[in-house]
Amino acid sequence: MMIVAHGIDLVHLPRLERVWTVHGERFLARVFTPVERTYCLARHRAAVHLAGRFAVKEAVMKVLGTGWSRGLQWTDIETVAGESGRPEVRLLGRAAELAAERGITQVLVSITHAGEYAQASALGLGSGH
């Protein structure tokens, strides 16, 4: 297995909080899966966790080489807590199709938070094409 692609993203927490305040549940439902919303909203400082998951989505889109296009939905990329608590990504729908087209069989992610920022890095692993 080799690294096929890498993506990284940085989210400014106050910006995400403004969008959430203005658009509320409509924003949450459009961008985050029910699993992600349940996890984040149960946490103290939910916006910090939402920002980390938003950064993951953007980083994974870079791995897939699409940005937010080609039929990809925000909810096609889901971040869940693995058994050890570390973040893991599930690719659904169009994201899974795009990964298969690029020969990506696994995506590893890391999230970090510092002050007003959340950052995520994603590695697409597989055979490549």
Side-chain angles (χ1 to χ4, degrees), residues 2 30 53 62 90 92 106 113 118:
M2 64 183 221
R30 180 172 174 243
R53 276 148 180 75
K62 291 170 184 169
R90 290 184 190 150
L92 311 163
Q106 183 180 12
H113 307 274

Side-chain angles (χ1 to χ4, degrees), residues 3-58:
I3 296 173
V4 177
H6 177 250
I8 190 168
D9 193 68
L10 182 69
V11 173
H12 191 224
L13 183 59
R15 181 171 182 264
L16 182 129
E17 288 174 320
R18 275 193 309 275
V19 172
W20 184 15
T21 299
V22 170
H23 299 287
E25 180 58 32
R26 194 172 97 223
F27 164 70
L28 294 179
R30 180 172 174 243
V31 176
F32 301 99
T33 68
V35 169
E36 290 171 322
R37 290 195 311 270
T38 298
Y39 175 87
C40 293
L41 297 177
R43 300 291 177 269
H44 178 66
R45 298 190 63 213
V48 170
H49 297 277
L50 291 168
R53 276 148 180 75
F54 190 89
V56 166
K57 291 172 187 288
E58 290 277 1

Side-chain angles (χ1 to χ4, degrees), residues 39-104:
Y39 175 87
C40 293
L41 297 177
R43 300 291 177 269
H44 178 66
R45 298 190 63 213
V48 170
H49 297 277
L50 291 168
R53 276 148 180 75
F54 190 89
V56 166
K57 291 172 187 288
E58 290 277 1
V60 171
M61 287 179 188
K62 291 170 184 169
V63 165
L64 298 175
T66 62
W68 189 60
S69 66
R70 295 179 56 196
L72 191 62
Q73 302 294 317
W74 292 105
T75 54
D76 288 345
I77 301 163
E78 180 178 65
T79 304
V80 298
E83 286 185 29
S84 68
R86 72 181 170 91
E88 295 179 359
V89 169
R90 290 184 190 150
L91 300 180
L92 311 163
R94 185 69 179 132
E97 293 170 6
L98 290 166
E101 288 173 15
R102 293 201 68 191
I104 295 170

